[in-house]
């Protein structure tokens, strides 16, 4: 069992995930904006460190940063301080190729790496019920399992290093395609005079349903709230990773390509900081209609 863990990146996901770890283990936390680490220490009893290198005292090092680029920058700073045997668990939705390079650098120092991206959103992170897809050696996976379990509902070992990030990128590509296709379909129905709320009731007990129709549209679109829990820029990044993977594997993937392009266009037009579901507003503006319940 872990003596000490460290968590780097207390964003929407990392903050509550590190909170669950702190309830079970001695947990060091570091964040670029230090005030968040201090707030975390007060809320969960973790230990806020201001010098990143202090996190190297932990046996398990967690990262949850926007992309693999930020993970690599942190690794560059930490590498000289890492002790052999340290297990780096990267919960970022990262890039498999990048992860394989990071894992190699860590192995040269006697450390190991697991890519362990998560699914379940802010709500799942707060409830400690995230789905975690892990890539890496079986031995390191088994070593990390009791620690990852602090914030997970389901944990899967999906293959070697990079496999976790690969599964996550495809999952999020399916989310992106589901969101775009549901928006186009519902905008069409709204324009033809069908109440989108009624159409969703039908679709959600029929074969066209998806996470988007079951969750996003009822909770975020019909309510017109679009709460910002997962940024459009981050989903655009996931679609880019999925397209790069398809290219690398010589898999023709025109749908994935189109979805990635649409998210890049959306990012350019409405900005990356909005919630990913705000892409629906763009489709609404092209269609000249709003996907909202009809007022009788
Ligand atoms: P946020 O934008 O909320 O948080 C990002 C975190 O990374 C913050 O702690 C931020 O620090 C830190 N950070 C950003 N840039 C740097 C940098 N250059 N150096 C050091 N630290 C940096 O992201 P999320 O928590 O939403 O997402 C994190 C990862 O999890 C992403 O890969 C995302 O795709 C994935 N994910 C997100 C989900 C969601 O619903 N939000 C669901 C599942 C996966 P600071 O506080 O200083 O800004």
């Amino acid at each position: 069992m872990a003596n000490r863990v460290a968590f780097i990146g207390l964003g929407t996901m990392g903050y509550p995930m590190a909170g669950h770890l702190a309830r079970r283990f001695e947990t060091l936390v570091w964040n670029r904006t230090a005030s968040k680490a201090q707030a975390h220490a007060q809320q969960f009893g973790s230990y806020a460190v201001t010098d990143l290198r202090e996190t190297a005292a932990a046996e398990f090092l967690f990262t949850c940063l926007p992309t693999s680029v930020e993970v690599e920058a942190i690794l560059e700073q930490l590498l000289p301080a890492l002790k052999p045997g340290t297990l780096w668990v990267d919960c970022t939705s990262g890039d498999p190729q990048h992860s394989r390079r990071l894992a190699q650098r860590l192995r040269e120092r006697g450390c190991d790496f697991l890519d362990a991206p998560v699914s379940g959103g802010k709500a799942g992170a707060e409830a400690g019920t995230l789905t975690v897809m892990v890539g890496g050696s079986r031995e390191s996976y088994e070593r990390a399992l009791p620690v990852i379990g602090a914030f997970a509902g389901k944990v899967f070992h999906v293959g070697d290093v990079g496999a976790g990030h690969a599964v996550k990128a495809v999952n999020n590509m399916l989310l992106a395609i589901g969101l775009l296709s549901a928006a186009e379909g519902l905008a069409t129905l709204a324009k033809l005079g069908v109440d989108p709320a009624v159409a969703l009731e039908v679709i959600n007990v029929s074969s066209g349903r998806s996470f988007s129709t079951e969750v996003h549209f009822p909770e975020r679109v019909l309510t017109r709230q679009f709460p910002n829990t997962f940024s459009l820029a981050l989903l655009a990044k996931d679609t880019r990773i999925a397209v790069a993977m398809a290219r690398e594997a010589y898999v023709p993937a025109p749908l994935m390509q189109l979805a990635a392009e649409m998210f890049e266009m959306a990012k350019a037009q409405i900005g990356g900081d909005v919630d990913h579901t705000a892409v629906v507003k763009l489709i609404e503006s092209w269609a000249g209609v709003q996907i909202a319940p009809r007022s009788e």
Side-chain angles (χ1 to χ4, degrees):
M1 190 53 76
N3 293 320
R4 197 185 276 148
V5 307
F7 206 103
I8 296 169
L10 304 173
T12 303
M13 299 300 285
Y15 193 92
M17 287 162 71
H20 288 291
L21 286 169
R23 290 194 186 101
R24 296 199 197 175
F25 310 104
E26 186 183 338
T27 302
L28 310 174
V29 288
W30 181 91
N31 194 63
R32 180 180 61 175
T33 308
S35 56
K36 279 198 211 166
Q38 280 143 16
H40 196 275
Q42 282 204 339
Q43 188 175 343
F44 297 108
S46 55
Y47 298 89
V49 298
T50 44
D51 182 346
L52 178 64
R53 283 168 304 183
E54 286 179 66
T55 59
E59 200 183 320
F60 292 84
L61 242 169
F62 285 82
T63 34
C64 190
L65 298 167
T67 74
S68 295
V69 174
E70 288 81 24
V71 179
E72 184 162 31
I74 293 286
L75 185 132
E76 289 302 335
Q77 292 175 64
L78 266 182
L79 209 52
L82 290 183
K83 298 172 300 188
T86 305
L87 181 52
W88 191 303
V89 185
D90 182 24
C91 297
T92 307
S93 299
D95 178 323
Q97 283 216 22
H98 221 122
S99 306
R100 289 192 280 269
R101 285 203 303 272
L102 300 186
Q104 183 53 35
R105 305 229 21 224
L106 283 163
R107 275 195 289 270
E108 284 161 12
R109 253 203 104 74
C111 305
D112 202 10
F113 178 92
L114 295 173
D115 43 316
V118 300
S119 182
K122 183 173 185 256
E126 285 171 354
T129 56
L130 291 169
T131 298
V132 189
M133 47 218 95
V134 185
S137 73
R138 165 69 56 182
E139 190 191 350
S140 290
Y141 167 74
E142 278 169 8
R143 189 175 152 211
L145 200 50
V147 188
I148 293 174
F151 53 75
K154 290 199 166 87
V155 189
F156 298 91
H157 184 220
V158 293
D160 292 337
V161 169
H165 282 154
V167 174
K168 176 65 185 175
V170 169
N171 177 77
N172 278 23
M173 176 54 93
L174 297 179
L175 167 72
I177 292 174
L179 194 52
L180 293 171
S181 56
E184 290 182 5
L186 287 161
T188 305
L189 290 171
K191 199 101 188 248
L192 293 174
V194 178
D195 185 342
V198 176
L200 275 169
E201 268 187 63
V202 177
I203 290 166
N204 284 337
V205 289
S206 302
S207 49
R209 68 187 183 277
S210 65
F211 186 79
S212 285
T213 63
E214 288 182 330
V215 178
H216 281 141
F217 278 79
E219 292 181 6
R220 298 186 182 215
V221 180
L222 293 187
T223 60
R224 309 309 294 168
Q225 286 180 351
F226 302 94
N228 193 353
T229 64
F230 176 41
S231 76
L232 194 147
L234 289 176
L235 185 54
K237 169 261 305 178
D238 295 330
T239 62
R240 280 199 306 274
I241 294 171
V243 167
M245 285 162 37
R247 285 235 175 86
E248 189 195 344
Y250 295 98
V251 173
L255 279 181
M256 305 212 310
Q257 182 81 48
L258 184 58
E261 292 294 343
M262 285 180 76
F263 270 90
E264 279 312 314
M265 285 154 61
K267 202 174 80 180
Q269 197 162 335
I270 56 177
D273 289 338
V274 292
D275 190 60
H276 61 299
T277 55
V279 74
V280 174
K281 291 187 198 170
L282 207 55
I283 289 167
E284 290 176 332
S285 73
W286 296 333
V289 74
Q290 209 173 69
I291 302 169
R294 279 233 310 262
S295 44
E296 294 303 326

